Amino acid sequence: MDALANVLKAARLSGGVFFRAEFSAPWCLGGCLTPEMCAPFVGAAQHLVPYHYLVDGEILVSVNGQPAQPLRGGDIVLFPRNDFHVMGSELGLPPINPADVVLAEGRDKIGTIRHGGGGAPATFVCGYLGCNHLLANPIMSALPPMMRLRVEDSPAADWMRSTFEYAAHEATAGRQGSAAVLAKLSELLFVEAVGEHVRNMPEEGTGWLAGLRDPGVGRALALMHGDVSHTWSVEELGRRAGMSRSGLAERFTRLIGVSPMHYLADWRLQMAGQMLRESPDPLVRIAERIGYESEAAFSRAFKKKFGQAPATWRRAGTDS
């Protein structure tokens, strides 16, 4: 999971929001929370990943109009791309915007949320992870729009269950200094959930996560993400991953969809795009940090990928 951890680190996880939700039938929520809505809690995140741990009860959930799936106590559901989703005791009810419920008491505090008609109860611990969309893309684009995980089936079941409960308690109590703890817990829970998803993927699967699971390709991904400025070659990656040059090239391309060097070049430029928005460093320094030997070569590659010169991209970020 080294490559996964490195991508998440680069994506600048901005913190987690945890709260306890006690709903009772009939109820139905539909929509998604935008980064603007959650800015007081997770900062200026470009992308949100909502996830919910159903402590007890039974509900239905659907994403993007797909058939409803049942959830029961002990399930975790994640929406990696924050797609439109509906959750409720009955999905035929007119859905209420989640923001109207979650932010009912204002934008500066989220405590325990209670909602519904007084019938059959369902209790959640809810979390929202903020991150940089550009740099989180390898993960988010590889995940399905909705992930349903059974906590009891995970080797880390006790840890995940107690951590969700602890996070919700800390957030509700509003203890000073808990924000940093909750941010780290958000990351750890998300990594564990994605790791469980990877472990349960079919053997014949392809894509970034399938490459992550493959010993040789996963090692090559970890090496590239671990030292992006290094002058990597397929030969060196193969040697350090315990594979031949041709063997790594073939397997990497089959699983990931592009060659190792194409993947590395694309990741470097995505990192540069974020550096240009966040760092005052001159272009030549940013070029060096992502492995380019000259500013001119970096500028040509950047404009080819993003359609803008690096300086133009930087100004656009400053003005937005």
Side-chain angles (χ1 to χ4, degrees):
M1 294 293 132
D2 287 349
L4 174 62
N6 280 325
V7 169
L8 288 173
K9 181 179 179 180
R12 302 288 180 87
L13 300 180
S14 56
V17 178
F18 288 90
F19 57 90
R20 189 177 182 89
E22 299 175 358
F23 292 170
S24 58
W27 64 276
C28 183
L29 302 183
C32 53
L33 291 183
T34 67
E36 292 75 21
M37 292 176 185
C38 290
F41 313 107
V42 298
Q46 298 176 0
H47 182 70
L48 290 175
V49 179
Y51 51 101
H52 312 286
Y53 169 50
L54 183 57
V55 179
D56 54 53
E58 296 183 358
I59 69 165
L60 297 171
V61 59
S62 171
V63 62
N64 292 333
Q66 297 298 310
Q69 294 190 32
L71 299 181
R72 66 185 191 276
D75 284 347
I76 295 176
V77 61
L78 303 90
F79 304 97
R81 294 192 287 276
N82 196 21
D83 291 321
F84 182 91
H85 54 277
V86 181
M87 303 172 62
S89 59
E90 304 173 43
L91 300 193
L93 299 172
I96 296 175
N97 190 318
D100 295 338
V101 176
V102 174
L103 303 178
E105 297 184 6
R107 293 174 176 265
D108 58 342
K109 178 176 174 58
I110 295 180
T112 299
I113 297 168
R114 296 177 176 88
H115 174 74
T123 304
F124 300 86
V125 176
C126 304
Y128 294 89
L129 181 69
C131 60
N132 176 280
H133 185 266
L134 188 66
L135 295 181
N137 186 58
I139 299 172
M140 303 312 172
S141 62
L143 293 171
M146 180 174 74
M147 296 166 54
R148 176 180 175 271
L149 302 172
R150 182 71 182 163
V151 171
E152 301 304 326
D153 296 337
S154 169
D158 291 341
W159 177 83
M160 294 180 75
R161 183 170 50 246
S162 61
T163 300
F164 266 114
E165 292 285 2
Y166 170 79
H169 181 268
E170 287 294 292
T172 302
R175 289 191 175 90
Q176 186 176 6
S178 65
V181 175
L182 296 182
K184 191 61 179 178
L185 288 179
S186 282
E187 178 182 349
L188 293 174
L189 286 166
F190 184 69
V191 169
E192 181 61 33
V194 173
E196 185 68 15
H197 174 76
V198 171
R199 287 188 286 272
N200 292 323
M201 288 174 59
E203 291 296 328
E204 65 275 12
T206 59
W208 194 81
L209 293 175
L212 199 68
R213 183 180 58 182
D214 181 88
V217 173
R219 176 60 176 157
L221 286 168
L223 288 167
M224 288 188 284
H225 283 281
D227 189 358
V228 72
S229 64
H230 183 74
T231 309
W232 293 109
S233 67
V234 180
E235 182 177 3
E236 182 181 2
L237 288 168
R239 183 175 66 254
R240 295 182 62 175
M243 302 178 69
S244 67
R245 180 187 185 282
S246 59
L248 175 63
E250 184 279 328
R251 192 162 184 79
F252 193 103
T253 303
R254 181 170 64 82
L255 289 175
I256 305 298
V258 296
S259 70
M261 292 300 97
H262 185 284
Y263 177 89
L264 177 60
D266 189 70
W267 177 248
R268 283 170 166 169
L269 292 172
Q270 290 186 61
M271 288 193 67
Q274 188 63 20
M275 290 177 188
L276 287 165
R277 296 282 171 86
E278 295 182 346
S279 169
D281 288 349
L283 296 186
V284 65
R285 175 60 183 141
I286 290 176
E288 291 172 354
R289 288 172 62 189
I290 62 167
Y292 278 84
E293 295 183 355
S294 73
E295 180 182 339
F298 163 63
S299 296
R300 288 193 299 269
F302 190 93
K303 186 172 183 179
K304 182 177 181 180
K305 177 174 176 58
F306 292 105
Q308 292 181 323
T312 305
W313 173 274
R314 170 175 272 171
R315 285 195 298 271
T318 302
D319 296 339
S320 60

